[in-house]
Amino acid sequence: MTHVVILGGGIAGLSAAWFLKQQGLDFTVLERQPYAGGLARSFDWHGFYCDFAAHRLFSSDEEVLQQLINLIPMGRHIRRSKIFLGGHWMRDPLDVFELINNLPFFNQLELLYGYLVRPRNREEGNFENYVLRRYGTGLYKAFFKPYTEKLFGIPGDEISVLWARQKVRLANPLDKVRENTKTKFSYFYYPLRKGYGAIVDQIYQEVKENVLLNSQVTDIIQENGRISAIRYLRDSTPYELNVDFVISTLPMSITGKMLHHDLNLTYQKVDAVYLWINRNLVSDYHWVYFIDQDICINRMVEFKNMSPLDTPERSTVLCAEVTQNIDDPVEHVINDLVRIGMITRDEILDCKVIREKFSYPVYNRNYETVLKEAQAIFQQYDNLYLVGRAAEFRHREVDDNFASAKETVGKITQRVMELKPQIPEPMEEISPISEPKIAAIILTYNHYEDTAECLESIKALTLNGYQLKVILVDNGSTDGTPELVRTNFPFVEVIENSKNLGVPAGYNVGFVRALNENNDFIFMLNNDTILASDILLELMNIAKQDPKAGIIMPKMMYYGSKETWSSGGKYRKFPPAILMTDKRKGMEDRTRLIEFAPSCALLIPRQTFEKVGLFDPGFFFVFDDWDFSERVRAHGLNIWYAANAHLWHKVSKTTRGPQSEFYWRTFGASLTRYWRRHGRPVWVSLPIHIGYIAVRDFVWHRNTKYFKDFWQGVREGLNKPLSDLPKFQKKYLYK
């Protein structure tokens, strides 16, 4: 059996363990401390659950976000943060006009003059040059220089330009567009109870049988470019574990040292200073940033503002993050907060400090070069993966570590699956499905002739004891489709929507009806499909063998042809697109796991809707199925292509084809919505995909007459909120 050893039980290590367990792989987590959680842990102090320093959950990756917020109950907060600069409180992100208003007249002139004569031609070789080119000397010295130098403890001209590209931000008119990016976010999530560490605690509870605490890794054994074993001490007793794969979340320098490589990497420590204050609240802010170098605090969080549930009423706890090297950080923090008037000394009931040595990778001027050299060293080891902030030597938040762990486990799983049969054997604890109830949901909008041909093929299905109910949802047809179906196909239940709700919203109506009637599977169908008589048997064969199946799709062929229309979607990096079918040799005749399933015919188990929710009604058509596929995979469920299950598809007529204003406007809106939610990062992927479509369809294919409609749709997609996704609950009525 494949065995994976994970070094470190912080958020990265526990997340990797969680994903490995979902994939049914054997693993062991080795954690040096007597507790799990690492930098993402929380602890109980005077009735408050305190995090190590400041944390918040936000991700522009909707898959990752949904998985994390589904772990435990969380509250959604509108961001409230402030900046203390030069004796004044200002908004965060910094508003330049507000800064100017708070400066003396001569400093205002200096700021303005510095901006006007900024060195636009200076090479961006470091953090200082990057900021000077864009904002000038005045703003650099007033705002960017003191905070960043305080964070890393080195001069601005010795800090990597990469840090500037990732972190430099000011308030500007693009904030609305960037509302779901890592540097521009207006909201975030935080657990309702037990602090930020409740996230890792929940993950730990699900994998703790395979976690060894108080286990100090001492050596990594290598043979012929592979890791063969891990040695560790537990209760002063040495042990050795043979491994197939290793995931290290330890600091990159420590992993390198165990492999006999000296890496020139530097980490910045953090002293988290906690003050128990005899006051209900000190401020109304989630966190506060202190810019000036004469204040030792980088940022400060007040946990009661993150979640007040189950906290003492008459006191509060502040946590100040300090990276400066000072002898007594507690006393310095107290002096600074008293000096600026936030607290008084007689309000302090207790204090403590916790230090973490490997908190921030230091982005010095040689950062990129040194990191590439280190990565090249670790790539020599075929079965070694690095995951997490300290291990990857990158500034990463919890959601980034979670996503990295997911990606890594996906790579390991793929390597394992290449050596095993494609369809897994049934899990012993899962009882075989006994005569499941299946509901076929068909969505129509006019074109009765197509619907009738589809229903005739359903009548001819071989069921072998399966119970099949057929529900037709009519999206406001004007050609008499509902009445004709009731007359000619009395076995079909017809639901009439008063208007065309769009594809995902229309289907949701039928899904909810079928789920409330306790059907075990949903067979989602377009009305312009013709089914092979054994299609359900082939699809159910996959469902019965994989209890983690989230979607099963058949082989989809063009109507009246043997040519494949889709054998499962696949993402292509360049040119950037999601392909309708995988054209690699042999793919269409092989049952396999896939990335995306087009929604003209899908078998979807009940558990998928219960975990993932319904289709996103924010789409009208197109990209709604790609969005649903992303969310299904994000919840650890599999998407299958069943090569032996066949249907024929006429390809949609209701959108009036690609040569219509309506199509291109909707396509632009849907494309934008999809990449706003799933782009990684959105400000890169969204322009790239919009640009590619613009070049391909309007320049290369000279389809310029519809560009204005496409661009109108893009604007609509940017302005439409990414509202919460509809979840299925018993007796939930979709509106």
Side-chain angles (χ1 to χ4, degrees), residues 64-100:
V64 169
L65 183 61
Q66 288 299 320
Q67 283 185 302
L68 287 168
I69 64 178
N70 284 336
L71 283 171
I72 55 172
M74 293 202 191
R76 187 176 187 270
H77 297 261
I78 302 300
R79 174 176 177 161
R80 302 191 310 275
S81 55
K82 280 286 186 179
I83 292 172
F84 188 79
L85 173 59
H88 300 282
W89 291 104
M90 303 182 196
R91 283 176 288 181
D92 175 43
L94 181 68
D95 187 313
V96 176
F97 296 105
E98 183 180 20
L99 172 62
I100 292 174

Side-chain angles (χ1 to χ4, degrees), residues 20-256:
L20 286 167
K21 184 175 182 180
Q22 291 180 0
Q23 296 299 326
L25 296 177
D26 186 35
F27 63 90
T28 301
V29 180
L30 302 175
E31 169 53 50
R32 177 175 60 90
Q33 299 289 355
Y35 53 81
L39 299 181
R41 70 189 184 274
S42 297
F43 58 92
D44 188 357
W45 190 56
H46 297 300
F48 292 89
Y49 276 91
C50 303
D51 309 331
F52 175 76
H55 290 283
R56 84 288 181 279
L57 176 59
F58 179 84
S59 177
S60 52
D61 186 333
E62 191 70 22
E63 290 181 4
V64 169
L65 183 61
Q66 288 299 320
Q67 283 185 302
L68 287 168
I69 64 178
N70 284 336
L71 283 171
I72 55 172
M74 293 202 191
R76 187 176 187 270
H77 297 261
I78 302 300
R79 174 176 177 161
R80 302 191 310 275
S81 55
K82 280 286 186 179
I83 292 172
F84 188 79
L85 173 59
H88 300 282
W89 291 104
M90 303 182 196
R91 283 176 288 181
D92 175 43
L94 181 68
D95 187 313
V96 176
F97 296 105
E98 183 180 20
L99 172 62
I100 292 174
N101 288 335
N102 283 299
L103 290 175
F105 178 72
F106 287 105
N107 293 108
Q108 294 178 6
L109 292 179
E110 181 184 12
L111 199 72
L112 180 60
Y113 178 76
Y115 178 77
L116 293 175
V117 299
R118 64 192 185 278
R120 295 178 177 86
N121 297 324
R122 181 175 293 194
E123 290 187 9
E124 294 182 352
N126 53 56
F127 175 86
E128 179 177 296
N129 287 352
Y130 179 95
V131 178
L132 289 176
R133 277 190 60 177
R134 283 158 178 77
Y135 304 110
T137 305
L139 197 54
Y140 174 69
K141 290 182 178 180
F143 179 67
F144 292 106
K145 173 183 171 71
Y147 186 86
T148 309
E149 290 186 348
K150 181 165 59 173
L151 175 65
F152 288 125
I154 56 178
D157 60 358
E158 291 297 325
I159 298 172
S160 170
V161 67
L162 184 62
W163 181 260
R165 291 170 182 159
Q166 293 177 355
K167 294 296 181 180
V168 167
R169 61 191 174 95
L170 294 174
N172 67 70
L174 292 178
D175 287 355
K176 183 177 181 181
V177 176
R178 296 175 175 177
E179 66 177 350
N180 66 335
T181 69
K182 297 304 286 287
T183 57
K184 301 281 187 179
F185 62 95
S186 59
Y187 66 91
F188 65 94
Y189 294 88
Y190 190 87
L192 293 178
R193 289 180 169 84
K194 297 189 176 181
Y196 200 75
I199 298 174
V200 289
D201 287 346
Q202 179 60 39
I203 297 175
Y204 174 68
Q205 290 303 315
E206 297 187 28
V207 301
K208 64 181 181 181
E209 294 179 357
N210 297 72
V211 179
L212 301 180
L213 302 177
N214 295 301
S215 300
Q216 172 71 56
V217 177
T218 58
D219 200 6
I220 300 175
I221 310 302
Q222 53 172 306
E223 295 179 4
N224 301 320
R226 288 179 61 84
I227 310 300
S228 59
I230 299 295
R231 291 174 180 165
Y232 66 98
L233 286 175
R234 194 178 193 209
D235 299 328
S236 301
T237 303
Y239 295 89
E240 183 170 309
L241 272 175
N242 294 326
V243 302
D244 294 295
F245 297 95
V246 175
I247 299 175
S248 177
T249 70
L250 304 179
M252 183 182 280
S253 56
I254 292 179
T255 304

Side-chain angles (χ1 to χ4, degrees), residues 299 343 413 453 505 507 632 726:
R299 59 179 177 172
I343 63 172
T413 303
E453 194 171 0
Y507 270 118
V632 166

Side-chain angles (χ1 to χ4, degrees), residues 612-616 627-635 725:
V612 177
L614 303 170
F615 275 62
D616 180 5
D627 173 77
F628 191 69
S629 294
E630 293 270 18
R631 291 156 50 204
V632 166
R633 287 187 281 109
H635 283 77
L725 296 164

Side-chain angles (χ1 to χ4, degrees), residues 435-493:
E435 296 185 357
K437 295 170 61 179
I438 307 170
I441 309 298
I442 306 169
L443 184 67
T444 64
Y445 179 66
N446 296 320
H447 300 285
Y448 168 74
E449 296 79 7
D450 294 332
T451 302
E453 194 171 0
C454 176
L455 291 173
E456 289 291 350
S457 70
I458 290 177
K459 287 172 62 176
L461 289 177
T462 302
L463 297 178
N464 284 9
Y466 293 137
Q467 304 175 53
L468 178 66
K469 177 175 182 176
V470 182
I471 299 174
L472 184 140
V473 179
D474 186 82
N475 239 355
S477 293
T478 57
D479 66 350
T481 290
E483 295 79 9
L484 289 169
V485 170
R486 290 190 180 99
T487 300
N488 298 323
F489 301 93
F491 65 92
V492 177
E493 177 185 344

